[in-house]
Amino acid sequence: MNQLNAWHVTSKGTRELTIARIIHEEELEKWIEQEPDLVEKGLLIIGRQIRLPHGQVDLLALDRNGILVIIEVKKGPIRRDSILQAVDYLASIQETMQYEELSKRVSLYLRRKKIDRSLQELIGERRGRRVLSPLPSIVRVLAVGTDAQANIEQIIEFLRERGVTVSVVSLRVFSVKGAEQIVIRELSEFESQSPASKVETLLAMADLNGVGQEFRIIDKTAERHGLYRRLWPKSIM
């Protein structure tokens, strides 16, 4: 990540802001819980500190397509072990945990937040159709840190090529005055694109490799049947 600096500009002058020190990861969790758009537009938090067979998920969410998102929060840089820990949670949900068990834990959280919906209903609302009870086969990982990423591009690409979708968000926090703070979100170049621009990027790549026509047939068929399209840097599922 490039170095970021911020200045507070007023009629009285300009002052460079200092990076705020985050003492506890729980502080970041609370921010994201209260305002999920900090890390991704359209997220709905459906659980916090949810215990799984292999550990405890910081935050669990649904994205705008009704896909489960495991959010791993770190007060420093995201490292390889952070990614692998989150993938272990993903395996717990996909391979070990029963739907009823996860749904029950999510329901306890939703009741505390006065959300009168079940996990199944929320997924169905976001996907625009009724869903059955088994756990979804697609679960994403979203890793959030507050510093430069620590050489994790290779492992993210490795996991994506094997069907595990991992996104990384860096939040830089600056002190303004008193208890006030400014949060700046930084995404990778590909992840910061809109879904439409991602598809166009992939279509152009397919054209360059001589499979543009075939790629468009698959993409349009998925769109026509209302299938969720998983977009990766070099492919689409």
Side-chain angles (χ1 to χ4, degrees):
M1 180 193 296
N2 297 327
Q3 180 179 344
L4 293 177
N5 298 87
W7 283 262
H8 186 208
V9 180
T10 67
S11 58
K12 297 180 179 179
T14 302
R15 178 171 63 88
E16 185 173 6
L17 302 181
T18 58
I19 298 220
R21 183 185 175 196
I22 303 298
I23 300 176
H24 300 293
E25 288 170 1
E26 290 81 0
E27 185 177 2
L28 278 178
E29 284 180 27
K30 185 177 179 181
W31 292 356
I32 298 169
E33 182 183 30
Q34 293 174 339
E35 185 52 72
D37 282 1
L38 274 175
V39 292
E40 182 177 306
K41 288 286 186 183
L43 282 184
L44 172 67
I45 303 298
I46 59 171
R48 181 177 178 186
Q49 293 297 315
I50 293 220
R51 189 167 296 282
L52 300 176
H54 297 164
Q56 193 163 268
V57 172
D58 293 333
L59 293 165
L60 188 66
L62 288 176
D63 70 11
R64 63 183 67 191
N65 296 302
I67 304 301
L68 279 177
V69 183
I70 291 171
I71 305 177
E72 179 71 8
V73 180
K74 297 296 179 186
K75 66 177 181 179
I78 295 297
R79 304 185 184 278
R80 287 173 175 243
D81 57 349
S82 306
I83 300 293
L84 294 176
Q85 184 179 28
V87 171
D88 199 23
Y89 298 155
L90 180 151
S92 291
I93 290 177
Q94 287 187 318
E95 300 175 11
T96 308
M97 206 169 191
Q98 296 296 316
Y99 177 87
E100 291 76 14
E101 187 179 353
L102 178 64
S103 182
K104 186 184 299 183
R105 296 178 189 184
V106 168
S107 294
L108 290 173
Y109 176 87
L110 294 176
R111 281 201 294 269
R112 290 199 301 269
K113 296 297 178 180
K114 303 187 184 307
I115 299 176
D116 187 22
R117 294 286 192 281
S118 67
L119 174 58
Q120 186 175 347
E121 288 171 336
L122 289 173
I123 292 175
E125 288 173 4
R126 296 208 154 206
R127 294 189 185 179
R129 56 184 171 85
R130 186 174 177 272
V131 296
L132 302 177
S133 59
L135 281 170
S137 59
I138 302 173
V139 182
R140 295 172 44 210
V141 170
L142 179 58
V144 182
T146 58
D147 206 340
Q149 302 155 18
N151 301 320
I152 57 174
E153 293 83 2
Q154 186 176 4
I155 191 169
I156 289 177
E157 185 66 20
F158 176 86
L159 290 168
R160 282 181 173 173
E161 289 174 354
R162 284 151 182 82
V164 180
T165 303
V166 179
S167 301
V168 175
V169 176
S170 294
L171 299 178
R172 306 303 295 272
V173 185
F174 293 87
S175 297
V176 184
K177 59 180 179 180
E180 294 183 11
Q181 295 170 315
I182 290 176
V183 179
I184 297 175
R185 177 181 62 193
E186 184 163 356
L187 309 176
S188 68
E189 180 179 354
F190 189 86
E191 289 166 342
S192 64
Q193 298 179 46
S194 69
S197 64
K198 288 182 183 180
V199 172
E200 290 304 316
T201 299
L202 291 170
L203 286 172
M205 193 181 303
D207 288 335
L208 289 173
N209 287 280
V211 292
Q213 183 177 353
E214 294 82 353
F215 190 95
R216 283 172 172 80
I217 291 172
I218 294 171
D219 182 57
K220 290 299 180 184
T221 301
E223 185 178 20
R224 185 168 63 251
H225 290 283
L227 300 178
Y228 172 67
R229 295 176 293 172
R230 297 174 65 183
L231 305 177
W232 299 342
K234 297 180 181 178
S235 63
I236 187 171
M237 178 178 288

